[in-house]
Amino acid sequence: MSGKYRVVITDFVSDGTLEQGILGDLARVDTVCAQSEAALKGRIEAADALLVYHYINVGADTIDRLDRCRVIVRCGVGYDNVDHARARKRGIPVCNVPDYGTEDVADATMAHMLALVRGVALLNSRLRDGRGTWSYTQAAPLQRLRGSTLGIVGLGRIGTAVALRAGAMGMDVVFYDPYRPDGADKALGVRRAESLPELLRQSFVISLHCPLTPETRHLIDVETLAQLPHGAYLINTARGGVVDTAVIPAAVASGQLAGAGIDVLPNEPPTAEDPLIAAWRDPAHPAHDRVIITPHTAFYSEQGLEDMRTKGAQGVRRALLGEPLRNVVN
């Protein structure tokens, strides 16, 4: 049965040895390393399965060219870069890998929060550049985390992991998630906000852990930022489009935001003209010291990356063997 099927890894992974080890008796694994959807043309049409990461989109035109595809596995949590509705019409199930990096993203979220709220990022930036005095006063006033309120948007696996970490640190955790059943707050020892404005009004730190959907696109914009207490912090390790990032520089300059930790952007990599990137790189702009930007790395640890690739390949294996699929999103 070796080589009966063909599996294509569309992007991100350049060496499919791990996947080949899982699928070796069933399929040949090819890697495309595409940087754009256009680069897939002529290379995926005969695939029996696709393993898709986050560098590219897989839209309707690409899906319509798949003649024999049995499954598309999005190796990650978010799946907005795959036209899953079109795939459903074509009879192609789309699966994700929702549990590979829960601990890693939660840890990265806490790292952003601590670096911002404790002044680590700001002081490191200013002292490295020789600006200001060698003193804590450059970051004053800093507030104690214990007893402060963390607002979480989206209490799924990662949001829950963040809530547990923050609770262990003595923070008051409140969440907004209209799709979370009643009782989640009681089980976790957190509070539920009935609306986003209710959450925003009381959050010293707000952390986003929701998928990108038409409902959540630009959920955080100039109007919602204005509902936060003056001097709050924003952290986004979810999806870039959940935040209108163009409004962050002005919010930081005005002091409405004391800082922001951004791991995901609407366009990756961003252009130099991106308003947030331009402000972050400008030593004269407050965002230079008060914004942390990382290149979509919250998911990453060596263990998490292996989990993601292994679980993605196992999902393909189930499809090729005709076994029940897990985590079908369409």
Side-chain angles (χ1 to χ4, degrees):
M1 201 178 338
S2 178
K4 178 179 179 181
Y5 300 109
R6 180 172 181 246
V7 175
V8 174
I9 304 174
T10 60
D11 59 306
F12 184 69
V13 171
S14 59
D15 179 358
T17 302
L18 187 154
E19 291 80 2
Q20 189 67 69
I22 294 170
L23 295 164
D25 60 328
L26 286 173
R28 182 182 85 250
V29 176
D30 295 328
T31 58
V32 174
C33 297
Q35 295 294 316
S36 68
E37 185 175 7
L40 299 176
K41 193 169 184 178
R43 306 185 71 180
I44 49 86
E45 286 76 3
D48 295 285
L50 296 183
L51 287 162
V52 180
Y53 287 83
H54 61 269
Y55 280 180
I56 63 167
N57 292 320
V58 177
D61 290 344
T62 298
I63 289 170
D64 285 345
R65 298 199 308 273
L66 296 173
D67 297 326
R68 51 193 288 179
C69 189
R70 298 186 177 203
V71 69
I72 299 172
V73 176
R74 166 66 178 94
C75 297
V77 180
Y79 48 88
D80 52 282
N81 62 324
V82 178
D83 191 336
H84 48 87
R86 187 67 172 192
R88 182 177 63 241
K89 290 180 180 179
R90 293 289 315 279
I92 304 172
V94 176
C95 305
N96 71 340
V97 181
D99 58 339
Y100 74 92
T102 298
E103 301 98 327
D104 307 299
V105 179
D107 289 348
T109 299
M110 301 303 289
H112 275 263
M113 180 174 70
L114 288 167
L116 290 166
V117 176
R118 294 302 305 149
V120 175
L122 183 149
L123 289 168
N124 180 73
S125 177
R126 293 186 63 82
L127 293 175
R128 178 188 56 216
D129 296 343
R131 290 178 289 136
T133 59
W134 194 271
S135 169
Y136 73 90
T137 55
Q138 286 215 65
L142 298 180
Q143 306 301 323
R144 180 177 291 167
L145 273 176
R146 177 171 290 275
S148 65
T149 299
L150 170 64
I152 294 176
V153 180
L155 198 71
R157 295 173 182 84
I158 296 170
T160 297
V162 171
L164 292 172
R165 284 159 170 74
M169 296 177 65
M171 297 187 75
D172 172 31
V173 180
V174 58
F175 77 94
Y176 170 66
D177 188 337
Y179 300 102
R180 200 74 158 92
D182 291 344
D185 48 339
K186 305 297 184 184
L188 293 172
V190 300
R191 297 187 293 113
R192 179 192 290 270
E194 298 298 333
S195 67
L196 182 62
E198 179 187 343
L199 180 85
L200 294 169
R201 285 194 297 268
Q202 58 188 303
S203 295
F204 174 58
V205 181
I206 182 168
S207 188
L208 306 177
H209 301 286
C210 54
L212 178 61
T213 67
E215 181 182 13
T216 63
R217 183 173 293 278
H218 285 187
L219 188 72
I220 302 301
D221 58 13
V222 66
E223 294 181 1
T224 48
L225 284 179
Q227 296 174 49
L228 287 165
H230 190 80
Y233 294 88
L234 167 69
I235 300 171
N236 187 16
T237 55
R239 304 299 279 175
V242 176
V243 177
D244 180 1
T245 55
V247 306
I248 291 177
V252 172
S254 71
Q256 179 61 19
L257 282 179
I262 305 296
D263 182 62
V264 286
L265 292 164
N267 298 298
E268 297 173 351
T271 65
E273 292 74 32
D274 182 297
L276 177 59
I277 298 299
W280 170 67
R281 287 176 172 164
D282 181 1
H285 197 287
H288 185 72
D289 299 325
R290 295 184 175 275
V291 173
I292 299 171
I293 295 178
T294 49
H296 204 141
T297 57
F299 77 93
Y300 170 69
S301 69
E302 284 298 303
Q303 296 84 356
L305 182 58
E306 183 175 349
D307 282 350
M308 175 170 61
R309 295 179 61 183
T310 298
K311 292 181 178 187
Q314 289 171 340
V316 167
R317 184 176 181 84
R318 282 190 287 270
L320 298 182
L321 290 173
E323 297 176 353
L325 300 179
R326 297 179 186 173
N327 307 309
V328 178
V329 300
N330 67 336

